[in-house]
Amino acid sequence: MIERERYLEIVRDTPLVSVDLVLVRGGAEVLLGLRNNRPAQGSWFVPGGVIRKNEPRAAALQRVAAGELRIPDVQALEPRLLGVFEHFYPDCFAGDIGVSTHYVVIAHRIDLPAGFEVPGGDDQHRQLRWWPLAEAAASEAVHRYTRDYLPLLAD
């Protein structure tokens, strides 16, 4: 594990590569979490996380799905590449201290049957909630970077 000060230097000096999990239930709802952590604290956002050094993308997807959602085998749900995006934030994990965050995000769509429930959550989110796609697209409470994904989900 990287020490906090070293990680702050990395965030200050480099873009981070991450994965986002865009879970779509029954073709009509998207799973969002109310974020506890910076950046995007207090916003509804899809689950996701940084890819670690020498960690294959599939392993990062599995780690994030297991850690944030308690999904034991995300590969069995057949994640598909949704696209590559960039997210820029004026703050970072350490707060509003003059260090911005730049993510290169590899977003993955995971289609789930109607009625599917995630097994659990973690301390990344105050709450997990299934949002109807139109409601999420119209809500200012949903982070704009998450809203960018929504037009790509229409079947």
Side-chain angles (χ1 to χ4, degrees):
M1 190 109 190
I2 300 173
E3 294 177 18
R4 179 182 165 89
E5 290 305 313
R6 175 69 179 122
Y7 190 61
L8 185 58
E9 290 175 7
I10 292 168
V11 171
R12 184 190 70 223
D13 297 338
T14 65
L16 304 173
V17 180
S18 65
V19 293
D20 273 356
L21 285 74
V22 184
L23 280 71
V24 180
R25 183 169 75 171
E29 299 173 297
V30 62
L31 183 71
L32 303 179
L34 184 56
R35 286 188 51 81
N36 283 326
N37 303 329
R38 289 178 184 256
Q41 184 178 46
S43 295
W44 289 92
F45 215 100
V46 296
V50 172
I51 298 175
R52 296 175 178 162
K53 174 77 173 174
N54 295 323
E55 181 181 43
R57 183 171 45 97
L61 282 170
Q62 179 57 46
R63 178 178 48 78
V64 170
E68 291 190 24
L69 305 174
R70 307 293 181 249
I71 294 175
D73 183 7
V74 77
Q75 295 305 322
L77 301 175
E78 301 178 5
R80 294 179 294 141
L81 182 65
L82 184 63
V84 178
F85 302 82
E86 286 190 292
H87 297 174
F88 297 91
Y89 301 94
D91 62 348
C92 71
F93 74 93
D96 190 7
I97 59 169
V99 175
S100 64
T101 308
H102 173 194
Y103 288 101
V104 175
V105 182
I106 307 168
H108 297 78
R109 177 180 178 150
I110 301 172
D111 287 294
L112 302 164
F116 181 92
E117 291 297 336
V118 294
D122 70 356
D123 62 358
Q124 296 283 324
H125 305 102
R126 259 179 269 158
Q127 179 184 358
L128 293 172
R129 176 180 154 203
W130 290 101
W131 287 67
L133 293 174
E135 182 183 339
S139 176
E140 290 294 318
V142 175
H143 197 280
R144 73 178 186 94
Y145 291 139
T146 289
R147 289 194 321 260
D148 288 346
Y149 297 151
L150 302 179
L152 304 174
L153 304 180
D155 287 330

